[in-house]
Amino acid sequence: MANVKQMQDIATQVRRDIIRMVNGCQSGHPGGSLGCADFMTALYFDAMEFDIDNFTRSGAGEDMFFLSNGHISPVWYSVLSRRGYFPVSELGTFRRLGTRLQGHPSIHDSLPGVRQASGSLGQGLSVAIGAALAKKMNKDEKLVYTLHGDGELQEGQIWEAVMFAGANHVDNLISTIDVNNLQIDGSTNEVCSLGDLRAKFEAFMWEVVEMEGNDMNAVVEGLKLAKQKTKQGKPVVILMHTQMGYGVDFMQNKNKWHGTPPDDEQASQALSQLKETLGDY
């Protein structure tokens, strides 16, 4: 496993990958991807247990991850490649017709690391609960992780799934909410206020952990704490506070960058703020 300094360097390189990917095809979602780079790096380089060389969709004997907000695929693809699931050079094919790195994760061409197509918001938690229950039935002690956008919580299916998981003691599940308070049309408060998320999840019988999502030390410790709270009768949710566009000053906390690719000048400016640590693809 990587140490905190190594993961900080990886996350910086991941942010470079994100900028280059969405700029290269002039399409994609950089804002949330940049904000979640620390979390995704810590998840794959520290928290989860898995077998890269023997990937299966079933995930038997491994921790599993489901990206519910599939539009932030750039950060996931970068982390998967940097972790060794597929060649880093393949990042250059992002959103190209006929490639495996589609705008939303797909299982059509069997990309290692991806177990379920996603991007239709609100559905990922239901899928993850099914996987977690399957692990319980099979006496598989590994965990299931998910990631969701806070705007995604405006989908009704999320709350049906939250209620089900709490009522059925799905305690091998850790779901993380990227609380950046922004979505494509503005702030979450302006579009449809989410209210007190801690109180809501606790009311549905979940354990709640809160952490800063753009501080690698805090992310590592937050994931450890969440893992400690599993297997105790309740599902676990991490309310992860991030900044959309983190790492690039002109993108931070601006909902414009939810789904707007930088042009060449903007990409150059962004990359000048992100040190190349592992080598570009």
Side-chain angles (χ1 to χ4, degrees), residues 40 43-44 48 50-59 62-67 76-77 79-81 83-86 100-101 105-107 109-118 145:
M40 293 295 286
L43 192 68
Y44 275 89
M48 288 204 307
F50 48 82
D51 183 354
I52 294 174
D53 297 324
N54 297 290
F55 173 77
T56 63
R57 281 192 66 197
S58 72
E62 298 184 87
D63 288 339
M64 302 173 72
F65 172 73
F66 294 95
L67 179 69
W76 196 20
Y77 294 154
V79 169
L80 287 175
S81 69
R83 192 65 176 87
Y85 274 99
F86 57 86
R100 300 193 295 180
L101 305 190
S106 169
I107 56 173
D109 293 312
S110 302
L111 183 68
V114 177
R115 291 191 164 91
Q116 183 61 37
S118 66
Y145 294 81

Side-chain angles (χ1 to χ4, degrees), residues 88-249:
V88 173
S89 60
E90 195 168 346
L91 296 178
T93 71
F94 177 61
R95 279 185 177 251
R96 306 294 184 183
L97 186 64
T99 71
R100 300 193 295 180
L101 305 190
Q102 291 302 296
H104 291 75
S106 169
I107 56 173
H108 183 269
D109 293 312
S110 302
L111 183 68
V114 177
R115 291 191 164 91
Q116 183 61 37
S118 66
S120 296
L121 295 179
Q123 298 181 3
L125 184 55
S126 299
V127 173
I129 290 169
L133 289 174
K135 284 191 178 295
K136 283 179 169 286
M137 292 173 65
N138 294 327
K139 298 190 174 8
D140 183 337
E141 292 298 313
K142 293 297 190 274
L143 301 174
V144 176
Y145 294 81
T146 67
L147 177 62
H148 307 265
D150 52 359
E152 182 182 0
L153 270 59
Q154 294 161 355
E155 297 281 356
Q157 184 175 340
I158 286 285
W159 297 103
E160 295 178 61
V162 169
M163 178 171 59
F164 179 92
N168 288 275
H169 312 291
V170 186
D171 59 358
N172 55 342
L173 173 68
I174 299 175
S175 293
T176 298
I177 314 301
D178 176 24
V179 185
N180 62 26
N181 302 306
L182 294 174
Q183 58 191 104
I184 192 169
D185 291 323
S187 75
T188 53
N189 282 336
E190 293 170 339
V191 176
C192 185
S193 177
L194 300 170
D196 187 337
L197 288 180
R198 172 180 279 274
K200 286 182 176 180
F201 275 96
E202 288 178 342
F204 283 114
M205 297 176 286
W206 283 59
E207 286 284 353
V208 179
V209 172
E210 294 200 51
M211 72 182 186
E212 293 300 319
N214 297 133
D215 178 319
M216 188 61 77
N217 283 291
V219 173
V220 170
E221 292 305 312
L223 282 165
K224 286 180 180 177
L225 178 59
K227 192 170 183 178
Q228 290 169 6
K229 290 180 177 293
T230 61
K231 312 293 180 65
Q232 296 180 34
K234 294 182 179 182
V236 180
V237 64
I238 300 173
L239 301 180
M240 178 176 70
H241 302 281
T242 72
Q243 295 182 45
M244 179 177 285
Y246 187 83
V248 178
D249 59 7

